[in-house]
Amino acid sequence: MQNWILPLTTLLVCALSFFLLLRDREMHPVREGVTPEPEALKKDRQYMLIYAASAVVVLLVLSLCLPGMLPGNTVFDNLKRMLLLAVIWPVAYIDYKTYRIPNAFVLMGLAVRVVLLPFEFLADDRRAMYMLISEVVAAGALFAAAMLCSVCAKGSIGFGDIKLFVVLGLFLGTTGSWGAIFTALLVSLATVLFLMATKRKGRKDSIPFGPAIVIGTFISVCLTGM
């Protein structure tokens, strides 16, 4: 059953995410009152389409391979992981370009999770309740930890990242969230070191965390299935 459910639902949610990406009005902001040149906008659109096509192909391949890679996972385990990735893949591109994570993707993630929940209870209500408790605990713990970091080290994490952490918790639960966040931190650290070593960024420059979150979540799902 997963052989067609996973790729079809992944493709559907990827299409919705791509629609939100296209409709984002701040992808080409006017800076200092100067409108970007048409040629620059054209190149930006080309890069965006290349990224979108690559992301969708990778997620479709993963959706086909995941049941075989992780035979211990249930169909809902795999669905939650794939749909989470299908929702958040544009976040990496948008945060990289504009240093922001649109609420539309956070709301979409919450909506997808709510739609999936009744089917989990119909399949196995006891396991669904256990997983729901785990996910709510993870979302609350990630929110609290992120808010604490934001207060103790101002500028270390944006509110968009905090909202994205909550979405991760609601999809991955306590078992998967920590692996995703830990991997995201490693990716972020490696990115910062590379940018500073190549003098593309300085110590006081802002570096978007969204791409690291997306990449870290993808790597964590591929390696652990959590």
Side-chain angles (χ1 to χ4, degrees):
M1 184 172 64
Q2 293 192 64
N3 291 336
W4 61 271
I5 288 180
L6 276 181
L8 284 179
T9 53
T10 298
L11 184 60
L12 174 61
V13 177
C14 279
L16 293 174
S17 296
F18 182 63
F19 175 75
L20 292 178
L21 175 61
L22 288 178
R23 286 182 60 85
D24 190 87
R25 295 181 179 180
E26 296 186 38
M27 282 300 296
H28 307 292
V30 177
R31 299 185 186 279
E32 299 179 356
V34 179
T35 303
E37 294 293 332
E39 188 64 27
L41 291 176
K42 183 179 179 181
K43 284 187 176 180
D44 281 347
R45 182 57 61 93
Q46 289 175 345
Y47 291 147
M48 183 185 71
L49 292 176
I50 292 172
Y51 171 75
S54 302
V56 171
V57 169
V58 169
L59 291 183
L60 281 177
V61 171
L62 181 60
S63 69
L64 291 169
C65 298
L66 201 60
M69 293 166 53
L70 305 165
N73 277 10
T74 68
V75 62
F76 290 106
D77 291 334
N78 291 333
L79 265 175
K80 284 186 284 189
R81 274 93 188 130
M82 288 309 309
L83 296 186
L84 171 64
L85 293 172
V87 168
I88 68 173
W89 67 263
V91 166
Y93 189 82
I94 294 176
D95 198 25
Y96 172 76
K97 294 287 292 183
T98 67
Y99 289 79
R100 45 181 278 278
I101 296 176
N103 288 330
F105 293 95
V106 175
L107 295 174
M108 182 180 172
L110 296 177
V112 170
R113 188 66 193 92
V114 169
V115 170
L116 193 59
L117 189 60
F119 295 98
E120 291 184 77
F121 273 92
L122 286 174
D124 188 341
D125 57 346
R126 289 187 178 181
R127 189 176 191 279
M129 179 58 70
Y130 171 79
M131 294 304 299
L132 180 60
I133 293 173
S134 171
E135 290 156 3
V136 171
V137 169
L142 288 175
F143 177 79
M147 287 297 294
L148 183 62
C149 289
S150 179
V151 172
C152 294
K154 292 184 178 181
S156 61
I157 187 170
F159 196 62
D161 300 319
I162 295 174
K163 290 181 286 186
L164 192 59
F165 281 173
V166 173
V167 175
L168 258 64
L170 292 176
F171 275 86
L172 301 178
T174 54
T175 54
S177 297
W178 310 119
I181 297 301
F182 178 73
T183 309
L185 291 173
L186 292 179
V187 171
S188 181
L189 176 61
T191 302
V192 169
L193 293 176
F194 172 78
L195 291 176
M196 292 183 65
T198 56
K199 297 183 178 180
R200 298 182 183 181
K201 294 285 186 179
R203 291 184 177 181
K204 296 183 179 180
D205 292 327
S206 297
I207 298 175
F209 192 33
I213 296 175
V214 174
I215 295 171
T217 303
F218 178 82
I219 293 174
S220 179
V221 168
C222 289
L223 293 180
T224 68
M226 297 297 184

